Amino acid sequence: MAPPPPPAASPASKKPSLRVERALQRSGHRLLAGMDEVGRGALAGPVSVGVVVIDETVRSAPIGVKDSKLLTEKARTVLVPRIQRWAVAHAVGHAGPDEIDAIGIMAALRLAGMRALAGLGMVPDLVILDGNHDWLTAPTEVGLFAFADDSGPATPPVTTMIKADMKCSSVAAASVLAKVERDELMVALSAEHPAYGWSLNKGYSAPEHMDALARLGPCELHRRSWRLPGVYTDEAVEVLNEVTGAIVPVPTTAEQTGTAVR
């Protein structure tokens, strides 16, 4: 049976709460997982998915928890240990740029989400997913395909909710964990590729990143299958070999899914 849709959030609410989660728990979903992604629109680095599990015993989320885009870097960092203590379980999963190139961004999102779920040590009864599209459940697990073998679906039931990261404390907390962990990864990678300014832009299409792409071309940590702004032409994109310093052509495809910071 399909999971119930989450109740509509109060229009008067200005910060996330557990109102949606409590209603879902009353309907029988004791272990709830809030899930959110970051890095989907970046030009380089991984796409990352955070997941936070709560049950009926947890109290209100730590003060200040809200969608990671609305928090400063310092505020997000301070919240991480508080969220980790508050949650029943938590994890972050990643899918690298090579995987994004190989299977596409939507399948990479699912891969990162499954890695996050695998890191929990438990299976939630229901996943609350931000947005209106269930990218976590594989197409073969939908409808009649879900009963094609005895093992059943590999993912828990999923319910989607537009702006869940602004309405549900569990989803907002997941977005904070994912954002902080991915940002730290990009800062570390920036030390290996300083020209692109990832310590500041985290792999998104900021001016200093675009300028470096135009001058140097993409490196191995860019999503080379995308039409990278500033360097894409109808011919093959040239890639910098940072070992030899040579510029070499590589094939590229037409996939590009947007560059908004997330």
Side-chain angles (χ1 to χ4, degrees), residues 53-186:
V53 177
I54 64 168
D55 62 17
E56 71 278 3
T57 68
V58 302
R59 300 184 177 183
S60 297
I63 294 174
V65 168
K66 54 185 174 182
D67 177 16
S68 62
K69 297 188 299 296
L70 305 178
L71 295 167
T72 65
E73 180 179 355
K74 181 179 179 180
R76 288 192 297 265
T77 302
V78 168
L79 281 171
V80 166
R82 299 175 185 175
I83 291 171
Q84 292 173 338
R85 289 192 298 268
W86 170 72
V88 172
H90 57 84
V92 178
H94 310 277
D98 55 335
E99 293 170 319
I100 294 171
D101 287 341
I103 62 178
I105 187 63
M106 299 310 293
L109 273 172
R110 180 175 186 270
L111 180 60
M114 293 301 293
R115 286 170 174 166
L117 288 172
L120 290 175
M122 60 179 63
V123 179
D125 299 320
L126 183 69
V127 175
I128 305 172
L129 201 60
D130 182 44
N132 60 2
H133 173 63
D134 178 5
W135 45 258
L136 181 64
T137 306
T140 54
E141 296 174 5
V142 177
L144 294 177
F145 291 108
F147 304 96
D149 58 54
D150 295 334
S151 63
T155 53
V158 171
T159 187
T160 60
M161 184 176 186
I162 296 173
K163 296 191 182 299
D165 53 359
M166 300 181 69
K167 301 170 184 176
C168 303
S169 291
S170 62
V171 179
S175 77
V176 171
L177 296 186
K179 175 68 173 168
V180 170
E181 188 160 318
R182 185 184 184 277
D183 282 0
E184 289 175 348
L185 283 173
M186 294 308 296

